[in-house]
Amino acid sequence: MSFFQEPPRLGNQYDEDVLLRSYLERVLPPDLKASLEDEFRELGELSGGYFYEFQLRDRLNEPELTQWNAWGQRVDHIEVSPLWKEAEALTARRGLVAVAYEQKSGDRSRVHQFALNYLIQPSLDIYSCPLAMTDGAARTLVSLGNKELVERALPHLTSRDPATFWTSGQWMTERTGGSDVGLTQTVARRDAEGWKLYGTKWFTSATTAQMALTLARPEGNGEGGKGLAIFYVETRGADGRMNGIQINRLKDKLGTRKVPTAELTLDGARAVPVAGLTDGIRNMASMLNVTRTWNAVASAWMMRRGLALARDYAKRRVQFGAPLAQKPLHVDTLAGLEAEFHGGFLLAFRAAELLGRMEAGTATEEELLLQRLVTPLAKLTLGRQTVHVTSEVVEGFGGAGYVEDTGVPRLLADAQVLSIWEGTTNVLSLDALRAMARGGALEALDVDARRRLATAKDAGLRPGVVAVEEALDKARAWVMEAMKDPAGVEAGARRFALTLGRAYELALLVEHAQWCLDHGYGPRAMAAARRLTRHGVDLLADMNLEESRLLVE
C-alpha cells in the first residue's frame, strides 16, 4: 500500500492560457499589451502558486458572526477568512476595481480590468463577489451624477491604498422575492435628521462592506418598482457602531461559503437617496450592466480553473495501464469541455469590450444596441455552461472529485451561484426579450455575428459558419411568429436566448480561430470551433405549453 496519488498542480496561469494570450494579442494595441504583460504574468504566477496554495490551506476558514461582546453590547462583527483579508489588500494594490475608472487603457480599460481578475480570482475564494458590487456601486454613483456621494465614496471604492479602500454591498433581496424587487417592503422615512430605513433584507452578500446601495420605498410612494428609490448607506458610524443595522444570521449556503452573506434588519439605518425618490429599479441599470458582466467573466475563469486542474490531473492519474491523458474517451470528454469554455470566454470578454466602449464614450450606435442584448445573453449562457463544465470536471477526478479536502468539489458548489445571482437563467431570458423590444438589438447582434463569420477563410470553419447562420435565421423567424402568442414567447424564452447566446459564441470563436491560424497560434481554436459546432447552437424547438402544464401539475 505504498501508492499515493499525485495531486494536480498549476503553473503560471497567464503563460499556460493560450486562449487568453491570443485574445489579448488580437484585441489590444501592441504597445498596450506589451505594457501590461508583466502585470498579467505576475498575477498568473500568484494565481497558480502562492494564492492557490493559500486557498487550499484556508479551506475550512469561513466567516464567523459575533453578535454580542463580553459585556452584552451588540457589535455584529463578522470575521472573514485570512485569505479574504489578503485578497482585499491585493485588490487595492493591483487596482482590480480601480483600473476601470482610471481609464489609462482607454476604451480597453474593461478588458484590462477583467483580464486581471480572470487571472487571479480563481484563487481568491469568490472575493470577486464584493468587487463586482463595489464596481457596480461606483458605476451607479457616477452614472446617476450625485456629486456629493461621488466625492464621498468614489475615492474609497477605487482606491489603490488598502488603508482607504472600501467595498460596497448590494442589498436588494427580501423575503418577498429576489427577482421581483418591485415587491420590496423596506420603508424609507424622513425625520429631522434625514432619511432612515426600516425593513429586512433576506440575503445580503459582502455584509462586511463599508457601504451599500439598497432599495427602499419612501413613505407615501405607490407600489411596484416605480415607487422605489436607491439609497446609499454606510454600514457603520464614525464611532464604529452599526448604523441602525442588525445582523440576524449568516446564511448557510451550498457554495460561496467564504462570502459573508447575511440576513439584516434595518432599524433606522441612516441613508441618502442617490437619485430622487422614485424609479429605483430603472436607476439600477448601470449597476446590472457591471455586475452581470462580472458574473459572465467569473463563469469563464471558473471553467478555466476547473479545466486547468483536470488536464494536469489527467497526466498524473494512471488507470488501466496508461495516464488518463492518453485514454481516448477521457480526451474526448475534456475536449468537449474545452470547446464550451472557448466559446464562453469569448462571449464574456465581448460583453466586457462593449461595456468598456460604452463607458469611454467610443461605442457606436450599433454597439450600444448590441450591449443591451449581449450582457444578459453572456450572463445566462455562461452561467449554464459553467455548471455543466465544473460538474464534468468533478466527475473527471472520480472519487477524489467528491472529497472536499482536494478542493475540487468547491468548484461545482461555487459555480451554481453564477446561474442564480443577478437574475436566474429564466429571468435573464426575459430581460433579453425586453432588450430586443426597444428595437434594433437583435438586428445589431445578427449584423455583428455575420460580420465576424465573414472573416473565416479556412474550409474547416465552414460548418461553424453555416450553423450560426442557420441558428440566427431560425431565431429571427421564431421570435416573429412567437410574438403573436405572449404565453408562447415566454415559454420559449430560455431556448431562444440560449440559441442566440451559443450562436454568438460560435461566431466569435470562428473569427478568433481564423485569426489564430493567420497569426501563428495554430489550429487549436479551430478545433474548438468545430467541436462547439458539433455540440449544437440551435436549441429552439416547438413545445406544447398545455403538455408542459400537465407535467408540472
Side-chain angles (χ1 to χ4, degrees):
M1 300 295 290
S2 60
F3 174 78
F4 293 94
Q5 175 61 48
E6 281 191 52
R9 295 185 177 89
L10 296 174
N12 186 300
Q13 294 300 283
Y14 178 69
D15 289 337
E16 294 183 357
D17 195 333
V18 178
L19 178 57
L20 174 65
R21 289 190 291 107
S22 60
Y23 166 78
L24 293 174
E25 183 172 333
R26 180 168 64 84
V27 302
L28 297 180
D31 57 342
L32 177 58
K33 180 176 181 290
S35 71
L36 301 177
E37 193 124 41
D38 286 347
E39 184 177 28
F40 292 149
R41 186 162 284 114
E42 288 169 9
L43 282 183
E45 186 63 32
L46 287 171
S47 184
Y50 176 80
F51 278 106
Y52 175 59
E53 294 163 7
F54 194 163
Q55 185 180 52
L56 292 175
R57 295 194 308 272
D58 202 49
R59 184 180 64 84
L60 295 178
N61 291 316
E62 295 184 2
E64 293 184 359
L65 170 62
T66 300
Q67 292 176 300
W68 311 91
N69 70 12
W71 306 100
Q73 295 171 307
R74 185 100 191 213
V75 291
D76 285 335
H77 171 73
I78 298 175
E79 185 72 15
V80 297
S81 70
L83 176 56
W84 261 49
K85 292 177 181 177
E86 195 156 334
E88 181 176 34
L90 178 80
T91 293
R93 294 192 182 101
R94 295 287 181 165
L96 299 185
V97 174
V99 162
Y101 297 86
E102 294 166 346
Q103 288 282 299
K104 292 179 182 178
S105 298
D107 62 9
R108 273 80 162 191
S109 293
R110 282 294 184 181
V111 172
H112 175 187
Q113 177 204 22
F114 282 115
L116 295 174
N117 281 283
Y118 168 89
L119 284 165
I120 193 63
Q121 291 298 339
S123 295
L124 297 186
D125 280 341
I126 319 298
Y127 193 71
S128 54
C129 176
L131 298 193
M133 292 183 288
T134 299
D135 195 346
R139 179 52 55 191
T140 300
L141 295 178
V142 170
S143 298
L144 296 178
N146 189 316
K147 186 173 182 292
E148 182 179 349
L149 293 181
V150 168
E151 291 177 351
R152 167 66 178 161
L154 194 65
H156 290 291
L157 298 174
T158 61
S159 175
R160 282 182 176 261
D161 181 355
T164 60
F165 175 67
W166 283 6
T167 55
S168 176
Q170 181 179 308
W171 301 348
M172 306 296 173
T173 304
E174 299 192 357
R175 289 192 292 259
T176 48
S179 299
D180 188 0
V181 293
L183 298 175
T184 293
Q185 295 181 333
T186 298
V187 174
R189 297 177 185 148
R190 191 168 192 172
D191 61 20
E193 297 179 353
W195 288 93
K196 294 180 180 178
L197 306 184
Y198 298 85
T200 297
K201 297 296 181 181
W202 186 79
F203 196 96
T204 65
S205 291
T207 314
T208 52
Q210 289 86 351
M211 60 159 282
L213 296 182
T214 187
L215 290 174
R217 194 178 310 280
E219 276 193 316
N221 279 15
E223 297 181 354
K226 178 74 175 176
L228 296 174
I230 296 182
F231 284 86
Y232 166 94
V233 180
E234 293 188 11
T235 53
R236 294 183 182 270
D239 60 0
R241 295 186 179 182
M242 293 293 276
N243 168 27
I245 301 166
Q246 294 181 348
I247 302 178
N248 301 334
R249 56 175 173 162
L250 293 179
K251 294 294 191 179
D252 188 8
K253 299 168 294 177
L254 168 67
T256 67
R257 297 187 65 89
K258 298 301 186 80
V259 182
T261 305
E263 183 178 309
L264 304 180
T265 294
L266 306 179
D267 187 16
R270 293 183 298 279
V272 178
V274 177
L277 298 177
T278 58
D279 296 311
I281 294 177
R282 187 178 70 184
N283 288 332
M284 288 168 53
S286 56
M287 178 187 295
L288 293 176
N289 280 332
V290 171
T291 54
R292 287 174 175 174
T293 305
W294 272 86
N295 194 294
V297 181
S299 294
W301 74 56
M302 201 164 288
M303 285 190 280
R304 159 67 188 158
R305 173 53 55 87
L307 289 167
L309 292 170
R311 282 199 309 271
D312 187 78
Y313 185 70
K315 297 172 186 176
R316 301 174 187 279
R317 179 65 173 165
V318 175
Q319 291 286 275
F320 305 106
L324 291 177
Q326 296 176 16
K327 296 291 184 180
L329 181 55
H330 196 74
V331 169
D332 181 75
T333 302
L334 291 183
L337 303 180
E338 280 286 344
E340 294 290 328
F341 160 65
H342 272 64
F345 172 95
L346 292 170
L347 179 55
F349 272 89
R350 180 61 176 145
E353 291 170 26
L354 292 167
L355 179 63
R357 288 181 62 78
M358 181 177 69
E359 292 175 344
T362 62
T364 65
E365 185 60 33
E366 179 187 294
E367 287 172 327
L368 292 174
L369 290 169
L370 191 58
Q371 189 274 335
R372 293 178 192 168
L373 182 55
V374 166
T375 300
L377 289 182
K379 193 278 183 190
L380 72 91
T381 306
L382 273 94
R384 295 311 314 157
Q385 283 176 306
T386 193
V387 172
H388 165 67
V389 168
T390 54
S391 176
E392 290 280 7
V393 165
V394 168
E395 185 174 341
F397 275 83
Y402 205 68
V403 177
E404 286 283 3
D405 54 3
T406 65
V408 176
R410 174 188 53 82
L411 294 169
L412 176 57
D414 289 346
Q416 186 63 67
V417 78
L418 294 166
S419 63
I420 298 172
W421 183 63
E422 295 298 55
T424 63
T425 308
N426 285 355
V427 168
L428 268 292
S429 299
L430 296 175
D431 276 4
L433 289 178
R434 280 189 284 271
M436 288 167 41
R438 299 193 219 175
L442 180 57
E443 292 75 12
L445 186 140
D446 188 278
V447 168
D448 192 62
R450 293 178 194 271
R451 184 187 299 126
R452 294 169 189 280
L453 295 175
T455 67
K457 297 175 293 185
D458 193 287
L461 294 171
R462 184 62 191 165
V465 173
V466 173
V468 174
E469 290 175 339
E470 291 180 348
L472 291 175
D473 289 341
K474 186 174 179 182
R476 287 170 65 89
W478 179 86
V479 77
M480 293 300 294
E481 181 64 26
M483 285 295 184
K484 300 174 185 177
D485 174 20
V489 74
E490 179 175 329
R494 174 193 277 240
R495 293 187 292 276
F496 172 71
L498 285 169
T499 295
L500 287 183
R502 290 182 65 81
Y504 194 49
E505 280 188 352
L506 183 52
L508 294 167
L509 184 50
V510 164
E511 176 196 37
H512 187 71
Q514 184 63 60
W515 184 92
C516 286
L517 289 172
D518 294 341
H519 292 81
Y521 278 93
R524 190 168 187 267
M526 183 169 74
R530 289 171 61 81
R531 183 60 175 259
L532 190 59
T533 301
R534 290 193 290 273
H535 286 182
V537 296
D538 176 8
L539 303 183
L540 284 166
D542 292 328
M543 299 289 180
N544 185 299
L545 185 55
E546 293 308 314
E547 287 184 354
S548 298
R549 290 189 171 116
L550 284 174
L551 293 170
V552 297
E553 284 180 350

